[in-house]
Amino acid sequence: MPPYRKMISVPALDSAIGVFDSGVGGLTVLQALRRRLPQRDFFYLGDTARVPYGRKPPEMVEEFAKEIGDFLCGLGVKGLVVACNTASAVALPSLIERSPVPVWGVIEPGVEAAARATRTGIVGVIGTKGTIGSRAYQRRLEQRGLEAWAQACPMLVHVVEEGLAESAEAELLVSEYLRNRPAIDTLILGCTHYPLLRGVIQRAVGDAVRLVDSAEVTAEAVSAAFQPVNGDGRGAPVIQANGGRVIHFVTGDPLAFAHTAAVIGGVEGEIIPLPVTELASARAVTVP
Ligand code: DGL
């Protein structure tokens, strides 16, 4: 007997790109993507019921990412963007293996941009415990012959989510986390939430250190593959009618998602609740 599949109806989006994160932080990546691909439709999934990923075992995060990847691919997306650094660090190979569409994580573009930016070859990276513990950034930096300094900054996600990005508390935590850094000249913001702390981080490290925002550089890499019009980067581009729509799925409370997202600049587009208990068994049915 086939497994029970719950049907949820979703407005049909043309040639959409699927973007996911553990929560609201990935909206920074979505915003960067939409600035570069304004005609493109997007599905965004925020796994707010299970956030934070940054403190969870890698195997668990990998399972979550696979479920979400399968769900978004089931919607017929043309590409998958893993906006979450922690999920990119631990789940990218399995997502690439099982997905029928191209998959982008945020780590490779971040490392690429840091390699371009550094003059001294000493690069710092900050992220969640999961990201830093995986050594995904450090390995790639070292493979390029760069010296990597890495620091987990677990409290910073909460600071941003509480709307305290410009507070004295944020200044204190950032300077504490960055206190023992060597003479880096480039620092990768290896977490979806850190672009919101850009001002505080820049003040802590000084203007001579270049900050690499993985949201921006990932959007740059994805948009290079997709034309601003609907052509999937291959063949003649086709103008997408009514393009630029976004549908957000959230596994937790949709109101809480919208509220927290205000810190990131708000949510534009529909929010559809997708309880995490139904994520693995749900099959979306698109309606015109
Ligand atoms: N999205 C996560 C990341 O970029 C940060 C939040 C979390 O820990 O889930 O690593």
Side-chain angles (χ1 to χ4, degrees):
M1 194 171 107
Y4 167 71
R5 310 278 272 170
K6 184 181 168 67
M7 303 286 193
I8 56 166
S9 63
V10 177
L13 296 187
D14 289 332
S15 304
I17 298 175
V19 181
F20 78 88
D21 180 40
S22 53
V24 295
L27 291 173
T28 55
V29 179
L30 179 67
Q31 286 159 359
L33 281 163
R34 292 189 74 207
R35 277 196 293 277
R36 287 181 165 78
L37 299 168
Q39 292 294 316
R40 188 58 67 167
D41 288 339
F42 290 92
F43 286 113
Y44 179 89
L45 193 148
D47 194 4
T48 51
R50 299 186 288 198
V51 72
Y53 282 6
R55 289 174 182 268
K56 293 194 168 62
E59 301 75 22
M60 192 183 275
V61 173
E62 190 177 348
E63 282 313 305
F64 296 167
K66 287 197 293 198
E67 270 175 22
I68 295 169
D70 289 354
F71 174 78
L72 291 170
C73 287
L75 287 171
V77 296
K78 299 289 185 232
L80 199 56
V81 180
V82 187
C84 178
N85 287 259
T86 311
S88 296
V90 302
L92 204 64
S94 6
L95 286 171
I96 290 173
E97 197 184 303
R98 69 198 282 122
S99 305
V101 295
V103 183
W104 286 268
V106 287
I107 291 178
E108 201 59 56
V111 168
E112 178 66 44
R116 281 198 308 263
T118 184
R119 297 287 167 265
T120 61
I122 310 175
V123 175
V125 55
I126 50 177
T128 65
K129 279 191 170 169
T131 300
I132 300 304
S134 75
R135 298 200 83 254
Y137 274 109
Q138 297 96 303
R139 246 193 344 264
R140 284 177 180 78
L141 288 165
E142 286 160 8
Q143 278 162 3
R144 286 167 172 265
L146 302 168
E147 193 177 315
W149 172 78
Q151 175 66 49
C153 309
M155 292 293 288
L156 298 186
V157 165
H158 306 294
V159 164
V160 171
E161 298 233 342
E162 294 302 325
L164 296 170
E166 286 297 332
S167 65
E169 289 80 358
E171 302 268 354
L172 195 73
L173 282 169
V174 166
S175 61
E176 181 59 28
Y177 283 133
L178 296 175
R179 194 156 52 98
N180 292 326
R181 69 186 183 283
I184 54 171
D185 74 340
T186 304
L187 179 65
I188 302 174
L189 308 182
C191 174
T192 47
H193 290 57
Y194 300 173
L196 278 295
L197 291 163
R198 197 184 178 101
V200 177
I201 295 170
Q202 191 76 72
R203 282 195 291 282
V205 293
D207 287 341
V209 174
R210 293 190 193 194
L211 301 187
V212 172
D213 173 349
S214 39
E216 282 301 331
V217 291
T218 302
E220 207 178 295
V222 176
S223 59
F226 287 92
Q227 301 301 314
V229 285
N230 182 10
D232 304 334
R234 278 187 242 117
V238 177
I239 301 290
Q240 189 174 330
N242 309 317
R245 294 164 296 179
V246 186
I247 291 178
H248 307 79
F249 296 99
V250 288
T251 57
D253 178 7
L255 286 179
F257 176 77
H259 180 75
T260 313
V263 176
I264 316 270
V267 180
E268 266 178 62
E270 198 175 335
I271 303 178
I272 299 179
L274 176 63
V276 73
T277 44
E278 290 170 10
L279 177 60
S281 60
R283 187 161 72 83
V285 183
T286 51
V287 290

